[in-house]
Amino acid sequence: MEVRREFESVTMRYPRFAGLEFPKWVILRKTAMDIVSFPLYKRLDSGETMAISLALEIKAAAILIDERVGRNAAEALGLKAFGTVGVLTQAKMKGLLPRLAPVIALLTQKANFYFDADAELVALRLAGDEPCRLLTSLLLQRS
């Protein structure tokens, strides 16, 4: 429930996310586990806290969290954590995406996703992809 509340809060607070709807395929589930006593908890928002709690409760193999502090907290609790760039890199390496750079460029340009420039370049190298002209210009603008 916290993840949905966080999503709805973000869509109201930030104009770039206006009009987005909570995905229908997301299954909402309460968790009995509480990680509030965990030291990194204070740096997490409620959506990340509940997502990590649920992942621990159901013994998930991995968790998708884009914010670095959330990934660090999940990993400190023994979870394998990925961000969007990591998932896209794996998809490219497994042949599910023909190229990674255009997908990152579109997410950056159309969805206002923020990707750390260094992480992007590492992901592109790992995936055997080259930055596209649009991505390169966006990276240069952010530097």
Side-chain angles (χ1 to χ4, degrees), residues 30-123:
K30 290 189 179 212
T31 179
M33 188 174 280
D34 187 4
I35 64 164
V36 172
S37 61
F38 183 65
L40 283 176
Y41 165 75
K42 292 179 176 96
R43 297 181 57 202
L44 301 176
D45 58 44
S46 59
E48 289 170 331
T49 301
M50 292 300 116
I52 292 170
S53 295
L54 182 59
L56 290 168
E57 185 177 307
I58 66 172
K59 297 176 178 37
I63 186 168
L64 174 66
I65 297 182
D66 279 316
E67 291 81 10
R68 183 169 292 148
V69 68
R71 285 195 311 272
N72 290 345
E75 289 170 354
L77 290 166
L79 292 167
K80 192 172 208 174
F82 293 97
T84 300
V85 171
V87 171
L88 293 172
T89 302
Q90 289 295 316
K92 166 64 170 83
M93 292 170 70
K94 292 180 179 187
L96 300 171
L97 286 176
R99 292 209 46 225
L100 178 58
V103 175
I104 291 175
L106 281 172
L107 283 170
T108 304
Q109 183 183 39
K110 300 284 186 186
N112 291 318
F113 251 69
Y114 169 79
F115 295 106
D116 178 78
D118 292 334
E120 286 178 54
L121 292 175
V122 168

Side-chain angles (χ1 to χ4, degrees), residues 115-117 120-121 131 134-143:
F115 295 106
D116 178 78
E120 286 178 54
L121 292 175
L134 175 60
L135 177 62
T136 302
S137 66
L138 289 170
L139 289 174
L140 291 174
Q141 287 173 8
R142 289 192 305 202
S143 299

